[in-house]
């Protein structure tokens, strides 16, 4: 029996997703460009949203579930004065209370109340499963979905500008340009909904752009058109090598050859906290640590389990 071909080392691509594309659409495009089926993404973006989508090729797909848990940053426009069934501009209007005469001080107070460690009810049209079925699928079938609140962290929620507008149905509304830095699992559309609820105006998203996922930002992102041009010119895709991707996203632990061999075989070695370096400096946070052997060889992702390294994924 012929042996199955081993995946190449692969790496990450940071894509600037266009509006109108699902995250799966982007993955499908890149499968063709990279000529591999082993492609995945970290952190779904809705079709309306644009911006940073981190895509993994080959072995790097095994990093994606851990990258999806990192901090994210967005720029968004929140329309106050109207509500929609999807909490964004793609859904049908459900209420038009208006936002005429909205005071900036009231908006800033509402935003401040949704900053920090909060309990957030996910959007009813999210991918959260209810009895094994996605919430959005239940909503599309006409069901009323109530999801439980969950803890999230909104590190920064800032209003940069507010403009009075008139909606197509004549409702006086206010469009607020905001930026958000938040933990994994935070729904920006739910923040728009909840700001509107606090103000008594209702609210929904009209634009959303993700500017960062962990250490990966728009400055290193490529559009699908740019990537296709490279393929057409027979130039390699700008893939961030697996080891570089891990070093940028996770705390780093450098080990010797024997330790690398043991960790690669699943041994749970003691983790010396002082030997772990964090990207950008600062304290070591809970979560995966990237292990590197001699010569900068990426060995594994591990996590601290009572002072010992528990392997999450082995790459060497």
């Amino acid at each position: 029996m012929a042996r199955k071909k081993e995946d190449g080392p692969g790496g990450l691509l940071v894509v600037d997703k266009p509006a109108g594309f699902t995250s799966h659409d982007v993955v499908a495009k890149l499968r063709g460009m990279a000529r591999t089926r082993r492609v995945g993404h970290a952190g779904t973006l809705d079709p309306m949203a644009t911006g940073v989508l981190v895509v993994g090729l080959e072995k790097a797909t095994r990093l994606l579930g851990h990258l999806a848990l990192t901090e994210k940053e967005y720029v968004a426009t929140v329309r106050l004065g109207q509500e929609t069934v999807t909490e964004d501009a793609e859904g049908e209007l459900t209420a038009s209370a208006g936002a005429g005469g909205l005071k900036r001080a009231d908006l800033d107070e509402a935003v401040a109340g949704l900053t920090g460690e909060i309990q957030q009810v996910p959007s009813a049209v999210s991918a959260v499963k209810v009895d094994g079925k996605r919430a959005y699928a239940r909503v599309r079938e006409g069901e009323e979905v109530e999801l439980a609140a969950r803890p999230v962290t909104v590190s920064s929620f800032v209003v940069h500008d507010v403009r009075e507008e008139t909606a197509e149905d004549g409702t006086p509304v206010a469009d607020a340009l905001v930026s958000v830095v938040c933990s994994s699992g935070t729904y920006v559309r739910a923040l728009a909904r909840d700001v509107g609820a606090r103000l008594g105006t209702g609210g929904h998203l009209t634009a959303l752009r993700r500017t960062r996922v962990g250490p990966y930002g728009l400055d290193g992102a490529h559009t699908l058109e740019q990537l296709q041009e490279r393929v057409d010119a027979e130039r390699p895709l700008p893939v961030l090598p697996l080891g570089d991707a891990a070093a940028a996203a996770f705390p780093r632990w450098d080990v010797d050859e024997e330790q690398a061999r043991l960790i690669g075989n699943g041994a749970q070695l003691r983790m010396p906290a002082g030997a772990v370096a964090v990207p950008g400096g600062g304290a070591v946070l809970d979560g995966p640590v990237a292990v590197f052997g001699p010569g900068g060889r990426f060995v594994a992702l591990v996590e601290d389990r009572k002072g010992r390294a528990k392997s999450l994924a082995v790459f060497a």
Side-chain angles (χ1 to χ4, degrees):
M1 180 181 294
R3 292 183 61 187
K4 181 180 177 180
K5 181 182 177 181
E6 293 290 330
D7 289 331
L12 295 183
L13 270 173
V14 184
V15 178
D16 186 350
K17 188 190 86 66
F21 276 64
T22 66
S23 299
H24 182 74
D25 291 337
V26 173
V27 166
K29 285 275 188 183
L30 289 174
R31 281 175 177 156
M33 293 184 197
R35 298 180 181 179
T36 177
R37 297 292 301 171
R38 193 81 184 275
V39 182
H41 65 83
T44 300
L45 275 177
D46 292 331
M48 183 189 82
T50 66
V52 174
L53 185 70
V54 179
V55 177
L57 307 179
E58 304 292 0
K59 279 188 178 180
T61 57
R62 299 167 65 193
L63 288 177
L64 297 177
H66 304 291
L67 285 172
L69 301 178
T70 58
E71 187 178 70
K72 299 174 178 66
E73 185 173 347
Y74 300 87
V75 174
T77 301
V78 178
R79 171 154 289 188
L80 299 165
Q82 292 183 320
E83 301 172 51
T84 72
V85 67
T86 58
E87 299 164 7
D88 64 20
E90 296 188 329
E92 294 182 6
L93 284 175
T94 57
S96 294
L102 176 67
K103 296 179 180 179
R104 175 63 183 266
D106 293 337
L107 174 56
D108 288 338
E109 182 180 354
V111 165
L114 292 167
T115 305
E117 296 181 0
I118 64 174
Q119 292 287 324
Q120 184 184 71
V121 176
S123 170
V125 291
S126 68
V128 174
K129 286 188 176 181
V130 180
D131 295 331
K133 193 172 184 178
R134 302 290 186 186
Y136 64 75
R138 292 183 178 276
V139 171
R140 287 173 182 168
E141 293 173 359
E143 294 185 39
E144 289 190 10
V145 175
E146 292 186 9
L147 300 175
R150 56 182 61 187
V152 299
T153 300
V154 181
S155 304
S156 175
F157 191 0
V158 179
V159 179
H160 298 281
D161 186 38
V162 183
R163 296 183 181 182
E164 294 184 356
E165 302 284 354
T166 302
E168 290 185 2
D169 64 357
T171 301
V173 296
D175 287 344
L177 177 65
V178 304
S179 61
V180 176
V181 180
C182 56
S183 64
S184 174
T186 304
Y187 288 88
V188 181
R189 69 171 71 192
L191 290 177
R193 174 201 68 202
D194 293 344
V195 166
R198 284 172 175 257
L199 293 168
T201 62
H204 67 280
L205 282 183
T206 58
L208 181 65
R209 183 160 176 77
R210 188 157 68 194
T211 56
R212 180 172 63 85
V213 174
Y216 308 113
L218 284 171
D219 56 347
H222 305 267
T223 66
L224 290 176
E225 289 79 6
Q226 290 170 333
L227 295 173
Q228 187 61 59
E229 287 174 2
R230 294 179 72 103
V231 171
D232 292 343
E234 297 185 350
R235 296 170 58 201
L237 292 173
V239 176
L240 183 65
L242 186 58
D244 293 348
F250 304 106
R252 175 178 180 137
W253 178 20
D254 286 283
V255 300
D256 61 30
E257 191 63 53
E258 179 63 11
Q259 290 172 313
R261 184 186 67 80
L262 291 170
I263 290 172
N265 288 328
Q268 296 189 22
L269 302 187
R270 185 169 296 281
M271 293 186 66
V276 176
V278 181
V284 178
L285 304 177
D286 292 338
V289 172
V291 179
F292 288 83
R297 185 176 82 257
F298 180 38
V299 177
L301 275 185
V302 302
E303 65 178 357
D304 191 331
R305 293 279 184 89
K306 298 180 179 180
R308 292 190 174 276
K310 168 68 174 177
S311 293
L312 298 172
V314 175
F315 295 88

